[in-house]
Amino acid sequence: MKVLVVGGGGREHALCWKISQSPIVDKTYCAPGNAGISLHAECLNIDVGDFNSLARFVKKESIDLTVVGPEQPLCEGITDFFEKEGLMIFGPSKAAAELEGSKIFSKNLMRKYGIPTGEYFVFTDMEKALAKTAEINLPFVVKADGLAAGKGVIICRSRQEGADAVRSMMERGTFGDAGAKVVIEEFLVGEEASFFAFTDGEKILPLEPSQDHKPVFDGDEGPNTGGMGAYTPAPVVNDGLRQRIIEEVMVPTIKAMKTEGRTYKGVLYAGLMIKDDDFKVLEFNCRFGDPEAQPLLMRMESDIVPILYSIACGDMETNPIEWKDGFCVCVVMASRGYPGSYQKGVQLKKLKNFTDTYETVIFHAGTLFSENKLLTNGGRVLGVTSLGDTIGESIKSAYKVIDSISEESLIYRTDIGKKALLRISD
Ligand code: AMP
Ligand code: GLY
């Protein structure tokens, strides 16, 4: 069969890498893809938001399945568009993707169905939101309702920061319409984890727990990014918690979405805050996490394509997913300056010294081939992803490869996986 992956980051590289290994796949395409993806898939110069051109290409090439990576096209209704055209697609409908597309929708759903989450207040009126920032316990969190490319969550440690966050969203329109409404939420402490489950809207097939590293600097310092590294499994989610997350978050959310007339098909991503063997949902996303998808897909032993295809058909196959033993860690290398401003088009000279092995694969995010040169083309550039029998070994392998390819223009955290290491040696 032929498969098209929509997107062009590290997550989509991991998807193309995994999908193209399936014995039932003859050809993989990716729109728009990146330099690394072009080694596993034919890259198309079509924007992820150009549904017409994507559907036209799928029909012309008789592509059997389209798999959507990022949230933007899902929230804009790519699945509804493709299904109307009679095309098979993996990813939730626009109505179901509201779980990520509107923080107000997702918080209200959690409140209505008793899914554990932080206390929160919704505001459409700026004066009322400002009044709340003057009385709520510090610290607190101000969130833009809509999609804001990962920048719409502001942690406020003073009332002034809170008022500034509200004004920037509701008065100055920093995030456009996405910030016209806001959620003000209690600040939750603990250790974060990411939990994913495939679902056809009724059945669920959980993946192994993973953990992202959002802040840009070691020790979780500095501003939040899209994610600077991830590993799986995440020992913070012990077996008991894993079962409770399935029973108290994943299953009730899928049921709630069906009850609300928004049947959710795809992969559901719960971002969790874990403390004292208990947890609360920070957010839902309607897609795979990036970078979490990189170590997850590298450890996945089962063929992913029958799972994705059966979900697109509406009747998911439920054989438990098989995983490679051990751990997998992904360390992100980003352009110096990220998540602030950074230079693009810088040549990556040392990468040609490395060839992927069974233990280590380098997934590309913002990269581009131009005139036979490999250039940076985004904030996050590479995801060095390594398997190991222990978390310590996987960390060592990843950083060894990084030492051999690192460049002045790239930054990375040196403590990815440390929390797991500490937990296991406890
Ligand atoms: P979200 O997009 O809601 O997951 O927020 C992005 C990041 O902001 C999360 O991964 C957390 O690191 C942080 N965050 C969001 N909500 C809270 C909260 N209520 N308390 C503490 N940190 C939060
Ligand atoms: N790893 C965070 C995200 O994908 O949103």
Side-chain angles (χ1 to χ4, degrees):
M1 76 193 258
K2 294 182 181 177
V3 181
L4 167 67
V5 173
V6 174
R11 165 184 49 212
E12 290 75 24
H13 188 175
L15 279 165
C16 288
W17 175 86
K18 180 73 184 155
I19 287 169
S20 62
Q21 290 172 44
S22 168
I24 57 172
V25 170
D26 305 305
K27 180 140 193 195
T28 311
Y29 299 85
C30 190
N34 61 40
I37 292 176
S38 67
L39 305 175
H40 311 281
E42 183 178 326
C43 292
L44 313 172
N45 189 14
I46 307 178
D47 188 82
V48 300
D50 185 355
F51 301 166
N52 263 313
S53 301
L54 289 170
R56 211 175 310 127
F57 186 84
V58 164
K59 286 185 191 163
K60 182 169 124 289
E61 295 297 324
S62 306
I63 289 171
D64 303 281
L65 175 68
T66 298
V67 178
V68 187
E71 64 277 15
Q72 195 81 35
L74 292 166
C75 291
E76 286 170 4
I78 188 170
T79 297
D80 312 64
F81 187 94
F82 268 51
E83 286 183 345
K84 230 182 251 157
E85 300 278 320
L87 303 172
M88 299 293 278
I89 184 160
F90 172 85
S93 65
K94 182 174 179 172
E98 278 254 288
L99 257 188
E100 174 163 5
S102 166
K103 303 245 187 238
I104 297 176
F105 171 78
S106 105
K107 294 291 290 185
N108 286 346
L109 186 97
M110 287 189 262
R111 180 182 278 167
K112 182 169 169 188
Y113 291 89
I115 294 156
T117 192
E119 267 310 309
Y120 69 99
F121 307 87
V122 170
F123 297 96
T124 51
D125 177 279
M126 188 176 73
E127 293 308 322
K128 290 188 179 145
L130 288 172
K132 181 54 75 181
T133 66
E135 62 166 47
I136 188 172
N137 286 345
L138 286 167
F140 58 88
V141 187
V142 178
K143 298 183 174 184
D145 176 46
L147 291 184
K151 299 199 175 93
V153 172
I154 301 181
I155 297 186
C156 307
R157 299 192 183 276
S158 70
R159 304 215 176 274
Q160 188 60 47
E161 277 178 327
D164 288 348
V166 165
R167 283 191 189 283
S168 105
M169 289 179 197
M170 301 184 87
E171 192 170 60
R172 297 198 295 282
T174 309
F175 304 116
D177 281 350
K181 297 183 229 167
V182 301
V183 173
I184 298 184
E185 194 178 305
E186 72 170 312
F187 179 76
L188 299 172
V189 286
E191 197 174 327
E192 284 185 52
S194 304
F195 200 90
F196 300 85
F198 289 118
T199 176
D200 58 5
E202 299 232 352
K203 294 167 278 183
I204 81 154
L205 191 55
L207 282 76
E208 295 254 282
S210 56
Q211 189 173 59
D212 188 10
H213 298 66
K214 293 245 164 74
V216 67
F217 300 129
D218 284 7
D220 288 338
E221 300 285 337
N224 266 358
T225 66
M228 293 300 287
Y231 60 85
T232 181
V236 63
V237 182
N238 58 38
D239 288 348
L241 275 179
R242 180 178 191 275
Q243 201 49 38
R244 283 189 50 209
I245 291 165
I246 293 170
E247 286 166 14
E248 296 171 33
V249 177
M250 308 313 270
V251 169
T253 302
I254 294 305
K255 266 198 195 144
M257 290 298 279
K258 189 168 180 214
T259 307
E260 294 290 315
R262 296 169 185 256
T263 298
Y264 189 103
K265 291 194 304 174
V267 61
L268 176 64
Y269 168 167
L272 302 157
M273 188 65 92
I274 298 185
K275 185 164 182 277
D276 300 335
D277 245 14
D278 210 354
F279 53 85
K280 286 189 172 156
V281 177
L282 285 172
E283 63 167 349
F284 283 116
N285 294 318
C286 62
R287 51 171 172 87
F288 272 116
D290 193 359
E292 294 96 317
Q294 300 176 51
L296 276 167
L297 295 178
M298 201 157 145
R299 261 197 74 224
M300 192 183 286
E301 188 74 59
S302 307
D303 187 353
I304 196 174
V305 178
I307 304 173
L308 303 176
Y309 191 74
S310 65
I311 292 171
C313 295
D315 186 11
M316 180 175 68
E317 62 165 60
T318 49
N319 296 331
I321 299 169
E322 283 175 33
W323 300 92
K324 294 191 173 86
D325 289 338
F327 284 82
C328 192
V329 66
C330 165
V331 180
V332 169
M333 302 183 83
S335 296
R336 192 169 288 282
Y338 174 77
S341 59
Y342 54 83
Q343 227 186 321
K344 282 190 191 175
V346 182
Q347 192 179 355
L348 298 171
K349 290 186 180 152
K350 294 200 203 146
L351 206 57
K352 63 175 178 307
N353 300 336
F354 176 81
T355 317
D356 290 348
T357 61
Y358 177 81
E359 280 80 25
T360 303
V361 175
I362 299 185
F363 294 113
H364 289 218
T367 64
L368 173 78
F369 274 128
S370 174
E371 294 170 1
N372 251 338
K373 286 190 190 132
L374 181 63
L375 307 177
T376 63
N377 193 36
R380 291 187 290 176
V381 178
L382 303 169
V384 179
T385 311
S386 288
L387 291 167
D389 289 339
T390 62
I391 182 78
E393 273 177 37
S394 56
I395 293 169
K396 225 185 258 164
S397 304
Y399 282 107
K400 192 164 163 219
V401 171
I402 286 179
D403 282 345
S404 70
I405 61 157
S406 80
E407 308 258 1
E408 193 42 44
S409 57
L410 298 180
I411 55 162
Y412 57 90
R413 278 181 60 160
T414 65
D415 63 349
I416 302 300
K418 199 167 167 187
K419 286 196 203 104
L421 212 51
L422 290 174
R423 205 168 266 282
I424 281 175
S425 59
D426 269 354

